[in-house]
Amino acid sequence: MSISKKRIIYLLGALLIVISLSMTPSLIVSLLYDEYHCTKAFLITMIICLLIGILFNRRHTPSISSIKLKDGFMIVTGSWLLASIFGAIPFIISGSITNPVDAFFEACSGFSTTGASILTDIEALPMSMLFWRSFTHWLGGMGIVVFAMALLPKLGISGQLIASAETPGPTLDKITPRFSDTAKNLYRMYILFTISEVILLLIGGLDLFDALVHTFGTVGTGGFSSHSESIAYFNSYYVHWVITIFMIISGTNFNLFYLTLKRGIKKLIKDDEFKFYLRIISLFTMLVTFDLAITKTEVNFLKALTESIFQVSSILTTTGYATADFDIWPTFAKMLLFMLMFVGACSSSTGGGVKIIRILVSFKLIMRGFALKTHENRIINIKVNDQKLQSDTVSNIANFLFFYIFLVFIGTAIISINNYDIMTSFSSVIACLGNIGPGFSMVGPTMNYSIFSNFSKIVLSLLMIAGRLELFTFFILFSKHFRDSNRA
Amino acid sequence: MNLNYNLFKNLISLTFILLSIIMIPSILVAHYYNEVNVTFSMSIIAVIYFFIGLFINIKSNRKSIKSTIRDGYLTTFFVWLALVFASALPYYFSNSGYYLSDCIFESAAGWSTTGAFVIHADILPKGLLFWKATNNWFGGIGMIMLIISLTPYFNISGQKLIVAEAPGPTLEKMSTKFTGTARYLYFFYLILTLLEFIMLKYGGLSLYDAAINTMSGISTAGIHLNSGGISYNLTTFNKTVVTIFTFLAATNFGIYFFLFKGKFEDILGDLEFRVYILLTLASTIVIYVALINSDEAKYYFEDFLHSISMAISFISTSGYSFTDYSIWPSFAKVILIICMFIGGCSISTAGGIKISRIIVFYKLILRGIYKRIHPRSVKPVSFFKKPISVNNVFTIMVYILLYFVIFLIGSLLLSLDNLSMETTLSATIGAMSNTGLSFGELANVADYSIFSHPARILLSILMIGGRLEFYAIALLFSKHFWNTNIIK
């Protein structure tokens, strides 16, 4: 066995130990609610994970600092797959979800912070299982922060962030001298947001369990709820607005918060991506509100505004919570949400999707195309935050967008084998690839993914992970260049 | 705004003169079928156009028609605007009580070779239907192309005009002069038309039916003669003829040039041609598999005919409905949608994104994967072993991005009509790709009268935009275009 393989196994072993430990809170919840069959399920899974983890870890401890780029892709994709497989075991052992594919789908949806569910009756699930489901969001959201901020730069993508690996965002070295410090700071931020949302939700009258579950769903931009009606269950403006604000925060570039703390609010306000993000939210909220008001879908203006901003931020940040069944909204409002599904959150946030920065750059690219049509030989640079983008960077962004579009079409074709209507197939793929959760028609906010065949569920699960890992990290493993890196 | 008035005047005057000439067959048809109103109004309009053309022609100066690319776009835009409006008047003054928006829609559908209608072909007077088919035929290759092929003195600006009217990614030079290239194109077009006409006549169609089917078939428009689409009453022989000729019309006309010159190895070596055949075969096979799986009666041969004819109908963007495909399994429908986005070859009468761009699209994705493994590598995108210049790659990139942006924005505006999402999205792509036939409520019959009048105007713009590949229209919204001195 080569050194790199040993190293991969070693790291995956470490991950299993982490997963095993991360089940502790759920174990405690199961004890508190007297769900002993769940306690048993968690204990068994924890022991399995721990044993395999130690077995993997026992052999040899290679130095992590010398991880190659190629191994990095393997480790990251492997981590998400392993986490989803082992995260599914408690569901199966406790009998909460009997079909293993369903359990895998649910765990994938959790760790990829998608929030798509196959459960027809959420309330029927034991409390501790609900807790575990939402906790995977929190872990997944945190994981993506590590992945984006700490691990990948370490893996050799020299000091750049993975989500914005293609954009000249603030590089890690600029924030703090050492990457582990940056990671720590980002964790602090993540935990700070979590605690403040829990407190605010507790003030809003939620019990601790609901407050925790929905906080995990929000800050991880996941979307699992403990109620079938999602956030609409609480029927309180206060709760809706608190969750809206935290969704928007979680969809923002986490680096910006750190920079803001250090260098003042100016950095935040002047950031091109953040400005574009806020503009999209306000424009789309306004349009949806007017549409709801004019078509008299919602007579109360305040309610229309609350529902619009909630739904717009929920889809844009790829959270996927719902306060209303937007599938019965007028087509114009639905079309606006549909467009947002292609946009996604900011880079280096816990959200998924194409990411605002890429949309911004592609708009600038189109504008440049126009300018070049009038002046053929002119040299025009694309700038973000007053920094010139290299032509390589721009074409990487376009490559990503094309790959995304390509996957949406191919995915739709594969899912349509189930023979549900086109909108169902189409939106389920977009919702999973963009880590959103609810789509339209038969996967709308009041529906779920249980209608699909096992094969489709596996395809959708893989799309969720691929979308979470920015497509290339996942699909690179299937490339012939990956297996033989000398190939031209 | 400074426009090259010489070029503009010359082209506009020739456009009007040609319009009046090509009206003559329709007037004769109307006369033959005793449609007094149509005959009378069309004759008067033809005479007026002839004199308008003559008047402008006398006033214009034939010398020095040197022009910039910007003049090319602007002139093309105005010529097409004039074409659409001038051709709408025969419908409007036919004394049948049509709305102006409907007449514009019919005219735009005619010139853009979209097989869409708002006035049913059954109730449209025969003379006007013949006029629409005439528009199809001339719109297929482009009116400006025709003018260039007829008149020698556009030689210098010819290239710019052709690029503006039918800007395929590569315009192969068939002759040293652009007039020559345009002549070759029309020559092949004429031969294909004659062949199809003879075949259809041989297949037992009346002179009138054969003429309409030929003109709308070879231009990949696909006029629907009967409520169920033309095909229902056609014999299998005629269906096959129509299918074969739409396939040939969506082939790159450069292939016929090779054929003409006897360069057979060049035909087989043409990447776009190979991919075109491959895509057609692949989509036929997967549709066929889906059909025989869902077909309980096991009409294997009929299913095969249907799958190949529908695949060609959509990939060539002609939009004939040879069978009731609305009851097909979703998988087959999604494949048809993908075909519609792809479209035919460049320099053909088909619409859509075009296969040569799709090849670059696919290569860019592959390069994206390669670049992730070898971040510092320099790898050109090559097209049939010849590397494409960075500028060309960017132009194609921008076009594909623009296509999807216009698709989303067009759908958003159409959604104000509050039809279902599926209908809205498929109407937009149906109009943009010049297919006409689409899905949802537009399946089987491309009857766009379900849309409101403002939406019909929007659809007309999308159709013409799709035909001119958007730049000629989209550029008008660019500030660079109007103020050539803008630096940023």
Side-chain angles (χ1 to χ4, degrees), chain A residues 166 331-332 335 368 370 373-376 378 392 395 398-399 402-403 405 413 416 419-420 472 476 482 485, chain B residues 69-70 73 329-331 361 364-365 368 371-372 374 394 397 404 411-412 415 418-419 474 484 486-487:
Chain A
E166 294 133 0
T331 314
F332 184 67
M335 204 41 230
R368 194 182 79 140
F370 284 165
K373 282 280 164 193
T374 354
H375 313 276
E376 292 149 80
R378 191 152 153 193
D392 253 11
S395 57
N399 291 349
F402 290 173
F403 200 14
I405 294 169
S416 68
N419 213 4
Y420 294 113
F472 287 107
I476 245 173
F482 186 78
S485 58
Chain B
I69 187 99
R70 191 172 155 274
Y73 280 113
S330 296
F331 178 68
F361 170 88
L364 280 173
I365 295 173
K371 277 269 196 181
R372 290 303 192 294
H374 305 288
F394 267 106
M397 239 181 219
F404 282 99
S411 308
L412 179 66
S415 69
N418 212 10
L419 293 163
T484 43
I486 290 183
I487 301 292

Side-chain angles (χ1 to χ4, degrees), chain B residues 75-209:
Chain B
T75 312
T76 305
F77 172 76
F78 281 117
V79 166
W80 275 76
L81 198 70
L83 277 179
V84 170
F85 275 100
S87 309
L89 294 185
Y91 299 97
Y92 191 63
F93 289 110
S94 67
N95 216 359
S96 312
Y98 302 134
Y99 289 103
L100 188 59
S101 60
D102 291 356
C103 300
I104 289 172
F105 185 93
E106 288 294 320
S107 166
W111 281 105
S112 65
T113 73
T114 312
F117 63 86
V118 285
I119 304 165
H120 216 289
D122 288 345
I123 54 166
L124 198 67
K126 284 202 157 62
L128 288 178
L129 190 65
F130 197 86
W131 175 232
K132 195 176 172 185
T134 315
N135 293 353
N136 282 163
W137 196 80
F138 285 100
I141 284 233
M143 192 68 160
I144 294 179
M145 191 79 92
L146 176 67
I147 295 172
I148 290 169
S149 71
L150 292 178
T151 44
Y153 55 78
F154 282 111
N155 222 337
I156 307 159
S157 32
Q159 184 183 3
K160 277 148 192 161
L161 287 166
I162 289 180
V163 163
E165 192 185 39
T170 44
L171 190 70
E172 284 156 73
K173 277 186 200 159
M174 298 180 199
S175 150
T176 43
K177 288 181 175 177
F178 273 89
T179 316
T181 307
R183 270 183 204 156
Y184 271 119
L185 285 177
Y186 257 93
F187 173 65
F188 300 132
Y189 194 48
L190 212 62
I191 286 183
L192 283 178
T193 312
L194 283 176
L195 282 178
E196 185 177 0
F197 183 73
I198 293 165
M199 296 291 267
L200 284 179
K201 196 75 200 51
Y202 175 75
L205 285 185
S206 73
L207 209 57
Y208 173 78
D209 282 351

Side-chain angles (χ1 to χ4, degrees), chain A residues 73-220:
Chain A
F73 291 118
M74 207 74 150
I75 291 164
V76 171
T77 311
S79 310
W80 249 268
L81 278 174
L82 269 188
S84 307
I85 291 168
F86 284 94
I89 294 178
F91 295 123
I92 304 168
I93 295 181
S94 68
S96 321
I97 299 172
T98 41
N99 180 355
V101 175
D102 282 359
F104 176 67
F105 183 92
E106 203 73 5
C108 267
S109 173
F111 278 110
S112 65
T113 73
T114 305
S117 178
I118 44 81
L119 295 170
T120 34
D121 186 10
I122 293 171
E123 274 99 341
L125 219 63
M127 299 296 244
S128 54
M129 286 299 152
L130 285 177
F131 188 85
W132 170 239
R133 212 165 71 105
S134 297
F135 197 65
T136 53
H137 276 335
W138 197 72
L139 292 174
M142 188 155 84
I144 206 65
V145 175
V146 200
F147 169 53
M149 316 288 173
L151 201 56
L152 252 281
K154 196 70 185 164
L155 295 180
I157 300 184
S158 51
Q160 278 188 320
L161 315 174
I162 181 67
S164 55
E166 294 133 0
T167 61
T171 52
L172 277 174
D173 347 28
K174 276 189 197 159
I175 301 177
T176 56
R178 279 186 308 159
F179 96 94
S180 54
D181 289 353
T182 311
K184 263 182 218 154
N185 283 320
L186 294 167
Y187 281 142
R188 278 191 202 123
M189 209 79 76
Y190 193 68
I191 291 166
L192 180 78
F193 290 145
T194 310
I195 294 171
S196 20
E197 192 184 344
V198 171
I199 292 170
L200 285 172
L201 286 180
L202 283 175
I203 294 170
L206 269 65
D207 58 36
L208 186 63
F209 181 81
D210 274 352
L212 280 171
V213 161
H214 291 97
T215 303
F216 293 154
T218 314
V219 292

Side-chain angles (χ1 to χ4, degrees), chain A residues 30-51:
Chain A
S30 74
L31 286 171
L32 285 176
Y33 285 95
D34 297 334
E35 292 161 346
Y36 296 119
H37 63 294
C38 297
T39 319
K40 203 175 83 186
F42 282 119
L43 266 178
I44 292 172
T45 321
M46 283 167 79
I47 291 165
I48 293 173
C49 286
L50 209 60
L51 285 181

Side-chain angles (χ1 to χ4, degrees), chain A residues 335-386:
Chain A
M335 204 41 230
L336 286 166
L337 295 181
F338 180 74
M339 285 171 88
L340 288 180
M341 287 188 175
F342 283 99
V343 179
C346 297
S347 59
S348 306
S349 70
T350 60
V354 172
K355 303 277 150 65
I356 305 263
I357 187 79
R358 294 206 180 93
I359 300 290
L360 184 66
V361 171
S362 42
F363 269 118
K364 293 196 173 187
L365 192 61
I366 292 176
M367 287 303 155
R368 194 182 79 140
F370 284 165
L372 284 180
K373 282 280 164 193
T374 354
H375 313 276
E376 292 149 80
N377 300 321
R378 191 152 153 193
I379 292 166
I380 303 163
N381 294 312
I382 293 180
K383 285 181 181 174
V384 172
N385 286 341
D386 291 327

